[in-house]
């Protein structure tokens, strides 16, 4: 008998139903194959075996740090889950997120090679990834244009990763060299140096990387923050001048366009300056004010509803008050008054705090407009319970949320 509190209770419940569904359908349609996801509540392997006709796409969402392979300590929970699935189902497909967060060219190829080699040892033979389609402007012109920009940014690692899917034991650096020669031809050397600088600074930096990384913040952190903007721009200049084939020139030109777009957006990106003051009296009006919040992932677009915050600390606790403009008659939420029981949805405020002692770790706090709240960290996920307080007040123009975090 499986306890309701067991991590794989819901997964077991779902796959009992899925197995029965497969049995009944196969009576009328022999040979039919099924696909489903091991995702969120079904990510843990169930207690029993899965029907042989059911293919299971295992989704390690979200890995704490994509700079390390799945079997590394920081991501180990996901590898343990994949191993459990390999013992439970005869057909597991590793469905990764190598194509996400790639509007900035995250150099994932070495990590992917290690992931796939480890998966092969578990008997996992099929791979796929969430990724944007490689098409240009069409009926959904704005969205499709963004798709094209992602490929212009990350063409190198996308190509190398597809080669690794055929054979993960290939030498990643040799694959890159082949791409440089075939794609950039006479401009291969400066482009190789360009990507080498990017890989070095990305892997050297302790900041975790996930499939949710944004291109502008990444450019500002890795490139501008390490004084690499001009050296990398000069390498792109050199490559464009050396390119003697129209396709090579176009590939470089497109990537250069993304580079300059990141540069421009990074200069326009507003980062609050100053530190949260130390206050002995709890007076938010004297705290550090944060304003002009943009839409997530769209730093040039302001949020449609005005949002601001005030921050201070009293020597032992961090105090944050967030002001959210909203039509109070239309507020909606669905959460839990007990932290970690259920993630909040609807109108709510989320707060992320990084751990200065452990750069691979961050903590996430959420409070909705009715006071329901939840917390997690990126290692133990919902198992983590923080000791913090919160409060919500509705106002004439919206609502306010207070966080008090030791």
């Amino acid at each position: 008998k499986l306890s309701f509190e067991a991590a794989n209770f819901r997964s077991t419940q779902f796959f009992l139903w899925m197995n029965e569904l497969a049995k009944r359908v196969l009576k009328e349609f022999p040979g039919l194959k099924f696909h489903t996801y091991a995702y969120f509540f079904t990510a843990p392997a169930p207690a029993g075996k899965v029907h042989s006709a059911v293919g299971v796409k295992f989704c390690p969402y979200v890995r704490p740090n994509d700079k390390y392979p799945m079997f590394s300590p920081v991501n180990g929970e996901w590898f343990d889950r994949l191993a459990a699935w390999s013992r439970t189902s005869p057909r597991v497909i590793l469905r990764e997120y190598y194509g996400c967060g790639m509007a900035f060219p995250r150099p994932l190829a070495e990590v992917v090679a290690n992931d796939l080699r480890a998966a092969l040892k578990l008997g996992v033979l099929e791979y796929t990834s969430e990724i944007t389609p490689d098409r240009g402007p069409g009926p959904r012109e704005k969205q499709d244009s963004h798709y094209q920009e992602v490929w212009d940014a990350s063409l190198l690692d996308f190509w190398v990763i597809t080669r690794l899917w055929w054979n993960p034991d290939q030498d990643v650096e040799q694959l890159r060299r082949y791409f440089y020669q075939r794609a950039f031809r006479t401009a291969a050397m400066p482009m190789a140096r360009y990507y080498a600088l990017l890989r070095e600074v990305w892997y050297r930096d302790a900041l975790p990387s996930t499939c949710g990384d944004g291109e502008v913040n990444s450019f500002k952190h890795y490139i501008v923050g390490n004084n690499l903007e001009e050296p990398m721009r000069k390498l792109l200049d050199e490559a464009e001048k050396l390119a003697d084939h129209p396709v090579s020139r176009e590939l470089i030109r497109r990537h250069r366009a993304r580079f300059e777009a990141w540069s421009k957006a990074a200069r326009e990106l507003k980062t609050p300056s100053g530190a949260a003051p130390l206050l002995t009296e709890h007076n938010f009006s004297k705290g550090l004010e944060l304003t002009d919040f943009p839409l997530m992932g769209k730093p040039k677009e302001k949020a449609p509803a005005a949002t601001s915050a005030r921050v201070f600390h009293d020597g032992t606790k961090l105090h944050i008050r967030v002001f959210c403009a909203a039509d109070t008659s239309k507020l909606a939420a669905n959460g839990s008054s007990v932290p970690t029981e259920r993630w909040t949805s609807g109108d709510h405020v989320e707060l992320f705090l990084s751990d200065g002692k452990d750069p691979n770790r961050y903590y996430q706090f959420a409070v909705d407009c009715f006071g329901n709240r939840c917390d997690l960290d990126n290692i133990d996920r919902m198992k983590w319970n923080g000791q913090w307080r919160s409060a919500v007040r509705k106002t004439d123009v919206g609502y306010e949320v207070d966080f008090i975090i030791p």
Side-chain angles (χ1 to χ4, degrees):
K1 185 177 180 180
L2 195 64
S3 167
F4 179 77
E5 301 299 326
N8 64 343
F9 177 84
R10 290 299 182 193
S11 182
T12 301
Q13 187 180 47
F14 175 83
F15 281 98
L16 285 172
W17 171 84
M18 190 73 203
N19 286 346
E20 186 61 28
L21 174 71
K23 289 177 186 176
R24 296 189 184 194
V25 172
L26 287 169
K27 288 180 180 178
E28 188 168 350
F29 302 98
L32 195 66
K33 299 295 182 183
F34 303 81
H35 273 274
T36 189
Y37 289 90
Y39 186 50
F40 279 98
F41 71 88
T42 57
K49 297 287 186 180
V50 174
H51 195 287
S52 59
V54 178
V56 180
K57 293 183 177 179
F58 176 73
C59 306
Y61 181 84
V62 175
R63 286 165 61 152
N65 193 347
D66 286 342
K67 292 181 179 179
Y68 294 91
M70 193 189 298
F71 54 78
S72 64
V74 70
N75 297 318
E77 178 188 10
W78 288 109
F79 187 72
D80 292 343
R81 287 180 169 182
L82 179 61
W85 268 109
S86 71
R87 298 188 296 267
T88 304
S89 171
R91 189 182 177 198
V92 179
I93 302 100
L94 177 57
R95 185 194 184 276
E96 258 291 357
Y97 295 84
Y98 303 134
C100 298
M102 296 297 277
F104 179 82
R106 298 192 300 150
L108 294 177
E110 275 84 3
V111 171
V112 174
N114 281 297
D115 283 351
L116 300 182
R117 292 164 190 167
L120 270 178
K121 292 179 180 178
L122 295 175
V124 177
L125 305 178
E126 296 179 72
Y127 320 108
T128 185
S129 175
E130 186 165 316
I131 192 170
T132 52
D134 58 340
R135 63 175 180 236
R140 297 178 297 172
E141 185 168 344
K142 186 175 181 181
Q143 186 174 357
D144 287 0
S145 176
H146 173 69
Y147 292 161
Q148 185 172 314
E149 290 170 357
V150 173
W151 282 81
D152 292 341
S154 292
L155 72 166
L156 169 62
D157 276 77
F158 282 171
W159 184 86
V160 173
I161 289 170
T162 59
R163 299 303 93 195
L164 291 170
W165 277 338
W166 284 106
N167 178 7
D169 289 324
Q170 294 179 90
D171 184 286
V172 174
E173 183 58 28
Q174 289 299 325
L175 288 172
R176 272 197 290 260
R177 290 176 182 174
Y178 181 82
F179 183 88
Y180 298 147
Q181 293 296 331
R182 295 290 293 166
F184 303 127
R185 304 184 184 224
T186 52
M189 286 304 295
M191 291 305 294
R193 293 197 297 271
Y194 170 89
Y195 282 110
L197 280 176
L198 176 63
R199 282 196 307 281
E200 180 185 358
V201 72
W202 192 78
Y203 278 107
R204 186 179 64 210
D205 197 292
L207 182 71
S209 179
T210 74
C211 61
D213 282 8
E215 62 272 30
V216 178
N217 281 311
S218 293
F219 184 89
K220 187 170 185 177
H221 180 79
Y222 295 109
I223 309 304
V224 177
N226 288 281
N227 299 313
L228 288 175
E229 183 174 2
E230 283 310 309
M232 294 180 77
R233 179 178 282 113
K234 287 179 180 178
L235 288 170
L236 291 175
D237 283 340
E238 181 183 351
E240 199 165 355
K241 291 174 183 176
L242 288 174
D244 64 356
H245 191 281
V247 174
S248 300
R249 281 197 300 272
E250 181 66 8
L251 290 174
I252 296 166
R253 186 193 67 78
R254 285 172 175 264
H255 187 84
R256 173 66 180 271
R258 302 311 316 136
F259 185 94
E260 298 303 341
W262 302 328
S263 175
K264 181 176 183 296
R267 290 194 299 272
E268 296 171 350
L269 192 63
K270 292 184 178 180
T271 302
S273 59
L278 176 65
L279 298 179
T280 55
E281 55 179 285
H282 293 180
N283 186 346
F284 275 101
S285 66
K286 296 181 180 180
L288 174 69
E289 184 178 21
L290 307 177
T291 59
D292 297 326
F293 287 93
L295 289 176
M296 187 173 70
K298 299 179 180 179
K300 292 189 287 185
E301 295 187 32
K302 287 188 176 181
T307 305
S308 63
R310 290 274 185 175
V311 184
F312 71 88
H313 64 92
D314 62 11
T316 60
K317 296 179 292 295
L318 182 67
H319 298 255
I320 303 172
R321 176 170 291 174
V322 183
F323 306 87
C324 305
D327 182 346
T328 55
S329 66
K330 297 180 180 179
L331 291 177
N334 180 21
S336 170
S337 59
V338 181
T340 76
E341 289 300 315
R342 182 199 291 178
W343 196 252
T344 53
S345 62
D347 293 289
H348 70 284
V349 174
E350 293 185 29
L351 174 67
F352 293 80
L353 293 178
S354 62
D355 188 339
K357 297 178 182 178
D358 182 359
N360 289 314
R361 195 166 199 146
Y362 67 80
Y363 304 91
Q364 187 173 352
F365 309 84
V367 180
D368 71 24
C369 55
F370 298 118
N372 302 311
R373 65 187 212 150
C374 192
D375 60 7
L376 60 78
D377 78 349
N378 66 319
I379 304 297
D380 298 318
R381 308 298 293 169
M382 303 292 272
K383 297 176 185 176
W384 180 79
N385 289 321
Q387 301 301 313
W388 57 290
R389 291 187 289 153
S390 60
V392 174
R393 288 170 301 281
K394 289 187 180 179
T395 68
D396 293 337
V397 293
Y399 66 100
E400 299 174 353
V401 179
D402 283 358
F403 298 85
I404 303 175
I405 302 173

